[in-house]
Amino acid sequence: MEEIFKLIPVKYALKHCILPLGYDNSSVKIAMTDSNNCKLLNELQFIFNKRILPEVWDEGKIKEEINKRYQISEDKIELNTAESFEYIDKESEKSGESIFPKNNDQSVIKIVNNLISDAIHIRASDIHIESYEDDFRVRLRVDGKLIEHEKPPKERKQAIISRLKIMANMDIAEKRRPQDGRIRVQNGSKAVDIRVSTLPTDFGEKVVLRILDKSSLKLSLDALGFENEVLENFKKVLRLPYGMILVTGPTGSGKTTTLYSALNYINSIDANIITIEDPIEYNLQGINQTMVRSDIGLTFASILRTILRQDPNIIMVGEIRDSETAEIAIRAALTGHLVLSTLHTNDALSTIIRLIDMGIESFLVACSLKMVVAQRLVRKTCPYCKQKKDVEWDKLNSYQLSPALKSHSFYQGKGCSKCNQTGFSGREAIIEQIIIDDDFSELITNNASVLELGQLAKRKGLSSIKEVALKKAIAGITSLEEVIYETIAV
């Protein structure tokens, strides 16, 4: 009987007001104050891997018995929500071994806690937990690239997945359907939100955790890496009383961070700012945020109609996905609202054509659109292991790079402990920016092609996203290979 108390630490027992009473081959009897606490029952079932038989006891009686059986005095206890305990798997029972773990047995809870802690420490944006026929893999996305993490024991696969599902308030018995949930963890003095998504695969569930660490989010336009002229132009347009600003680029290019930074810049006591997001990634003080829920009819378009009756000054639409949303957003921009949104296109100029292809009249696009920003993120070369790189120009002929580049030196990180042997540390935005002035408006109204718009941009001396990225490579901020991958080889 003493062994069962080792499985439930006294801090955990006091926190949840539970007391182990006994066990047999199939069940564990637990004294508790609420036998209908499904979350606690699921967690206890996970810990013991057995059916839980609850007995309702008075709270005072449970605490008295805890003090007696654990031989402690209550004034010596400090509650700790991060207390860990061991997990018992079915293999032990099948092999006839003790149902209690050995001293050197790895705790599943400890494995999960360490994994999340490691990911936060190295600034990973996502954790991928993947099941294969003969393998179990964990990967972390750092600076946009997936890297392998130390593999947990294969026999712990289902236990780790179950633990994550419990933490995210998911149904641990449901393995045939995808599920979504959220976890909030305490990392030192800061709280970190984690979005959890499960997907059934051939050999078990794949789990992806998106780490939303607000403390590492720098919601400042000055911290995004914009060139000075581009930054001043962006700030100038953000101060307009009405019109539309579009930020475009592929998934993971930092569009949401740019929009959040823009909202943070223009947020003031006299502005009513409302956002429509899918989902809400970070909560912003002083800004009204609402989330799309298509299952009950709350789409971007339907929420946008409602928002227009909420007396907004500034509206942020997470993404323009269809012609209906585009039309409402355009008309909102024409009727005295500043509208910020995103669109999936490769560059700034094709965004203009994309709006017209969605059925928006060209003169409406010309009148409402004030700025288009095309964005990518490039990894920054690690300053601790940066070294000069000999470029093999013959292998880059297919990318049609300017011969003038050969006169410049380029750098690349060798890989060190500071950058997890990747050669890169952090990311920086590269921006292609088009201000829709009278010249652009005239061409758009006359249904100009991308080629004609591009010729006007060149005459105005506007840099393409490729040219901006190459400047950063020449300055040693990033590598030439990174520029090619993000802006040319697409």
Side-chain angles (χ1 to χ4, degrees):
M1 186 63 186
E2 290 301 318
E3 291 175 312
I4 201 169
F5 292 108
K6 294 178 183 177
L7 278 178
I8 300 292
V10 61
K11 296 176 185 178
Y12 184 86
L14 281 170
K15 178 177 181 288
H16 294 285
C17 202
I18 60 170
L19 180 70
L21 299 176
Y23 68 93
D24 57 28
N25 290 334
S26 61
S27 62
V28 177
K29 190 181 293 185
I30 302 281
M32 55 200 310
T33 57
D34 182 8
S35 61
N36 295 316
N37 188 337
C38 295
K39 182 179 179 181
L40 179 57
L41 289 171
N42 281 339
E43 187 156 324
L44 290 169
Q45 185 173 329
F46 168 78
I47 295 167
F48 291 102
N49 201 24
K50 292 179 180 292
R51 190 160 56 97
I52 302 300
L53 302 177
E55 277 193 16
V56 178
W57 282 25
D58 178 72
E59 182 179 347
K61 183 180 178 183
I62 292 177
K63 288 184 176 179
E64 181 183 339
E65 286 298 316
I66 288 174
N67 292 338
K68 185 187 302 180
R69 299 194 187 192
Y70 283 92
Q71 297 181 343
I72 50 99
S73 59
E74 197 165 346
D75 61 353
K76 292 182 181 178
I77 299 299
E78 287 184 12
L79 296 184
N80 183 352
T81 56
E83 187 65 58
S84 63
F85 33 74
E86 301 293 330
Y87 170 77
I88 308 93
D89 61 25
K90 293 182 179 178
E91 296 303 316
S92 300
E93 292 183 59
K94 290 178 182 177
S95 63
E97 297 175 2
S98 167
I99 66 166
F100 297 100
K102 297 177 181 177
N103 291 335
N104 62 355
D105 195 12
Q106 280 190 295
S107 164
V108 171
I109 294 177
K110 189 176 291 184
I111 291 172
V112 170
N113 289 352
N114 288 342
L115 172 59
I116 293 174
S117 178
D118 288 348
I120 293 171
H121 178 69
I122 65 172
R123 307 182 322 277
S125 61
D126 302 85
I127 303 172
H128 289 242
I129 297 171
E130 301 163 318
S131 302
Y132 299 98
E133 186 172 13
D134 300 312
D135 197 13
F136 178 45
R137 182 169 68 174
V138 175
R139 294 188 290 172
L140 307 179
R141 189 176 293 280
V142 182
D143 294 334
K145 306 295 180 184
L146 284 170
I147 60 173
E148 282 212 66
H149 187 268
E150 181 183 354
K151 291 183 180 180
K154 284 192 294 185
E155 63 272 13
R156 296 292 193 181
K157 177 182 76 173
Q158 192 53 52
I160 290 170
I161 292 172
S162 294
R163 172 61 184 167
L164 288 168
K165 290 170 76 173
I166 285 173
M167 292 172 71
N169 289 318
M170 295 179 178
D171 183 356
I172 61 172
E174 179 56 77
K175 301 176 183 178
R176 300 170 301 170
R177 293 187 178 92
Q179 296 187 67
D180 294 294
R182 293 183 83 96
I183 298 171
R184 171 163 284 199
V185 300
Q186 196 73 21
N187 183 44
S189 60
K190 62 185 179 182
V192 178
D193 284 324
I194 301 173
R195 284 209 317 263
V196 185
S197 171
T198 67
L199 178 71
T201 67
D202 265 358
F203 302 106
E205 292 174 286
K206 173 180 170 65
V207 184
V208 174
L209 294 83
R210 167 62 59 88
I211 299 171
L212 305 172
D213 184 359
K214 191 173 182 178
S215 66
S216 67
L217 187 68
K218 298 177 181 178
L219 294 183
S220 168
L221 290 175
D222 299 312
L224 295 179
F226 288 17
E227 293 180 341
N228 289 336
E229 184 181 356
V230 171
L231 180 60
E232 289 308 311
N233 289 336
F234 195 29
K235 288 180 176 179
K236 183 178 178 181
V237 175
L238 284 171
R239 290 192 288 266
L240 293 175
Y242 62 88
M244 175 178 276
I245 302 170
L246 288 177
V247 180
T248 182
T251 301
S253 59
K255 299 188 297 295
T256 301
T257 301
T258 298
L259 286 180
Y260 277 175
S261 299
L263 291 178
N264 202 44
Y265 174 73
I266 54 182
N267 188 12
S268 64
I269 194 68
D270 59 351
N272 178 19
I273 304 176
I274 306 178
T275 73
I276 313 169
E277 303 175 59
D278 184 21
I280 296 169
E281 294 199 4
Y282 296 95
N283 297 117
L284 305 175
Q285 186 67 32
I287 294 173
N288 306 283
Q289 296 171 267
T290 186
M291 188 170 72
V292 168
R293 291 189 59 187
S294 301
D295 56 326
I296 59 172
L298 289 177
T299 61
F300 278 111
S302 65
I303 298 175
L304 187 49
R305 284 195 187 92
T306 302
I307 282 177
L308 291 174
R309 298 192 290 271
Q310 291 280 315
D311 186 31
N313 300 104
I314 300 159
I315 302 169
M316 192 270 271
V317 182
E319 182 184 345
I320 293 178
R321 296 178 178 172
D322 52 53
S323 57
E324 184 182 13
T325 306
E327 184 176 352
I328 301 170
I330 289 282
R331 294 194 180 279
L334 289 171
T335 54
H337 306 91
L338 184 64
V339 179
L340 289 75
S341 190
T342 70
L343 204 62
H344 283 287
T345 55
N346 287 331
D347 55 51
L349 295 175
S350 61
T351 303
I352 298 167
I353 305 302
R354 173 72 177 134
L355 284 173
I356 296 172
D357 287 344
M358 293 175 80
I360 308 301
E361 296 285 350
S362 57
F363 75 92
L364 291 177
V365 175
C367 293
S368 62
L369 197 59
K370 301 301 179 184
M371 174 177 280
V372 183
V373 172
Q375 181 168 321
R376 297 287 191 283
L377 289 177
V378 291
R379 293 181 294 171
K380 294 193 291 184
T381 304
C382 175
Y384 296 99
C385 61
K386 183 166 76 172
Q387 58 185 16
K388 192 172 179 180
K389 168 76 172 178
D390 293 327
V391 180
E392 299 180 56
W393 294 105
D394 292 343
K395 294 183 179 179
L396 302 179
N397 288 336
S398 61
Y399 297 119
Q400 299 178 335
L401 297 172
S402 168
L405 289 174
K406 295 181 180 180
S407 62
H408 296 283
S409 297
F410 295 92
Y411 297 84
Q412 188 164 325
K414 182 181 179 181
C416 64
S417 59
K418 298 282 188 181
C419 62
N420 297 302
Q421 307 303 324
T422 63
F424 297 95
S425 180
R427 290 191 289 177
E428 187 164 293
I430 50 174
I431 298 294
E432 175 188 42
Q433 184 185 79
I434 301 292
I435 299 175
I436 309 301
D437 57 12
D438 291 342
D439 295 330
F440 274 109
S441 292
E442 184 178 354
L443 283 183
I444 295 168
T445 303
N446 294 326
N447 292 305
S449 65
V450 173
L451 179 61
E452 292 171 306
L453 291 170
Q455 289 170 343
L456 176 59
K458 192 167 288 187
R459 288 198 299 272
K460 288 178 174 290
L462 300 177
S463 299
S464 69
I465 202 163
K466 172 184 170 182
E467 290 167 342
V468 174
L470 285 170
K471 287 179 185 177
K472 290 189 182 289
I474 291 169
I477 296 171
T478 187
S479 70
L480 183 60
E481 288 78 2
E482 183 74 3
V483 167
I484 291 171
Y485 180 80
E486 292 294 342
T487 67
I488 302 174
V490 294

